[in-house]
Amino acid sequence: MSNEVHATSPSADELRRRVARGMARARADLERLVGIPSVAFAGFPIEPLEQAAAAVMDMLRAVGLDDVRLLDVPGSPPAVVGERPAPPGAPTVLLYGHYDVQPAGVEADWTSPPFTPVERDGRLYGRGAADDKSGIVMHAAALAALGADARVGVRVLIEGAEETGLGGLEELVGAQPELVAADAVVIADAGNHALGQPTLTTSLRGSLKIMVEVRTLAGPVHSGTYGGPAPDALVALIAMLATLHDAAGNVAVAGLDAAAYEGARYDEPAFRRDAGVLAGVALAGSGVIAEQLACRPAITVIGIDAPPVDGAANAVVARARAAVSVRLAPGQDPDQARSAVVAHLQAAAPWRAVLVFGDAGGGEGFQANTDGPAFAAATRALETAYGRPVSHHGQGGSIPLVAAFHKAAPDAEMILWGAEEPLARIHAPDESVDLAELERGILAEALFLAALPAAGQAGTDSPA
Ligand SMILES: [Zn+2]
């Protein structure tokens, strides 16, 4: 297996040793990042974002990248970029990750504080430990392992607002495609379909967030004096939301597409365990789980504004609001999908209630090209790092920037991998990363970067 690497590159065994030696440093970098509550959502302080960006710059400078700097992103925290020009005739690879994280949610739901990195049973716990601070560490540690042996051009782009869906970087990349000019793009914001099972992500769902507010009365009124004929805004909202799925739990909105799926299966016991489905509770919807996740739409009501139960006045509710998250099949146009969901909710509104819609962003899904030399090199690198064959899967999550990269650099092959396997519980309490999985990921990326120049020559770039 190790002879796959180009003759003048370090051997696979040598890289494996270097990555192992670098793990203490990689872990220290990860712990530093996890200790910073870099949430980019509105209402969160800006200082932690600045600290996280500074930490990322330190990491990139430490691995010898030139011109490490902040890149202004309109309406968002800055991205961190750094580069090393390609040797003559060598390909250039873009390494992407993000330093912002999801909010921690309810701290009491965490076993240990969300922004204090703690190891338990080989996993490092903390918000962002996997999503996506592990991805930043993968890039830096892979470059560190290669050191002066790297014979590819490298550009690193670490953004600071991926989780917000604000789309500032997508716009910037659209306006300045040269920012992402590369032969291959490595997005270390994905993961294996099971811990230890090497997997390349070949599709992503799109996403959409819609706010809907229902208004029925000038203000809340006595539920005895007026209750009955007075239209209840919260009941109206609940009735509308209840029509988004059929009785089995399948999405019931006309105009939302499904795509075909050919990737790895996700068996029901594993899914139930990973998702924490309570014993005896049925799964929603019908069909193959992996296909439901990868290629079919999903709708989740992620928040409702209504009077809280404690201290609720005995009154008819005058206005209520919900945030609705929609996941889209790869290939579905987000604007079309938004119109479909809005039209569905309008048609479902009882009593001609007044509806006010708000838009909270979204983005297109993605389908990878799996025929190119970089994809083949990534497959061999994963096989060597893990010592087992590679699977493909579609990921239920969304990375809107991937579609923007694809538009800006249509010939660049997209490699999506990382340490975000199901047990990482990204976006949930007790997020963590498996440190051995992270080490295998770093090795795979180092092997990939070492092999890429030869892979390119074997492909269409060959001078003949
Ligand atoms: Zn992420």
Side-chain angles (χ1 to χ4, degrees), residues 96 98 100 130-132 162-163 188-190 398-399 420 426-427:
Y96 167 85
H98 61 89
D100 66 307
D131 182 13
D132 179 34
E162 195 274 340
E163 303 289 3
D189 191 14
S398 311
I399 313 177
E420 299 171 9
I426 64 170
H427 294 206

Side-chain angles (χ1 to χ4, degrees), residues 348-362:
W351 315 312
R352 296 192 301 281
V354 176
L355 304 185
V356 180
F357 288 94
D359 176 3

Side-chain angles (χ1 to χ4, degrees), residues 41-413:
F41 283 44
F44 285 82
I46 191 84
E47 290 80 10
L49 292 159
E50 292 169 350
Q51 286 165 17
V56 173
M57 287 199 283
D58 287 348
M59 290 166 62
L60 297 185
R61 286 191 181 117
V63 298
L65 288 191
D66 306 324
D67 195 23
V68 174
R69 61 193 166 87
L70 295 176
L71 173 70
D72 278 329
V73 180
S76 293
V80 177
V81 293
E83 50 197 305
R84 179 190 293 148
T92 293
V93 61
L94 172 70
L95 308 177
Y96 167 85
H98 61 89
Y99 67 77
D100 66 307
V101 297
Q102 284 282 321
V106 180
E107 281 217 29
D109 292 343
W110 289 74
T111 304
S112 49
F115 296 106
T116 304
V118 175
E119 184 185 344
R120 293 191 291 275
D121 298 329
R123 302 191 70 97
L124 188 75
Y125 285 81
R127 171 59 84 227
D131 182 13
D132 179 34
K133 290 171 171 173
S134 72
I136 300 170
V137 168
M138 257 180 76
H139 296 322
L143 289 171
L146 272 178
D149 293 323
R151 292 178 307 108
V152 286
V154 176
R155 330 176 80 135
V156 181
L157 171 56
I158 308 294
E159 75 159 309
E162 195 274 340
E163 303 289 3
T164 65
L166 288 172
L169 187 58
E170 289 144 73
E171 273 172 49
L172 189 65
V173 164
Q176 298 179 46
E178 65 277 9
L179 286 172
V180 296
D183 300 283
V185 179
V186 177
I187 295 172
D189 191 14
N192 296 332
H193 80 84
L195 179 67
Q197 172 54 58
T199 311
L200 285 162
T201 298
T202 50
S203 72
L204 299 168
R205 284 196 288 194
S207 72
L208 196 59
K209 214 193 270 180
I210 295 172
M211 308 295 187
V212 54
E213 181 168 335
V214 180
R215 299 175 187 169
T216 51
L217 300 165
V221 292
H222 193 288
S223 65
T225 310
Y226 299 100
D232 180 325
L234 182 54
V235 167
L237 178 65
I238 291 166
M240 291 159 57
L241 297 174
T243 66
L244 292 169
H245 300 86
D246 66 17
N250 296 296
V251 168
V253 177
L256 295 186
D257 305 334
Y261 183 68
E262 286 165 359
R265 293 287 179 118
Y266 197 161
D267 69 81
E268 181 166 339
F271 177 82
R272 296 185 71 95
R273 184 195 62 225
D274 296 343
V277 181
L278 298 182
V281 176
L283 299 187
S286 49
V288 176
I289 291 171
E291 184 178 321
Q292 275 183 285
L293 293 171
C295 293
R296 282 171 38 185
I299 299 184
T300 310
V301 179
I302 56 172
I304 289 188
D305 287 342
V309 171
D310 290 334
N314 204 347
V316 180
V317 173
R319 54 172 70 186
R321 195 164 79 114
V324 178
S325 160
V326 186
R327 299 291 174 168
L328 307 171
Q332 168 113 51
D333 175 51
D335 293 332
Q336 234 173 40
R338 181 187 313 281
S339 305
V341 175
V342 167
H344 179 101
L345 289 170
Q346 279 168 331
W351 315 312
R352 296 192 301 281
V354 176
L355 304 185
V356 180
F357 288 94
D359 176 3
E364 262 172 75
F366 170 72
Q367 196 89 50
N369 161 26
T370 57
D371 297 333
F375 195 87
T379 301
R380 284 194 301 273
L382 272 180
E383 261 165 23
T384 304
Y386 282 78
R388 50 201 303 192
V390 173
S391 315
H392 295 169
H393 74 164
Q395 194 180 289
S398 311
I399 313 177
L401 196 65
V402 174
F405 281 172
H406 188 57
K407 241 173 237 164
D411 295 332
E413 288 179 70

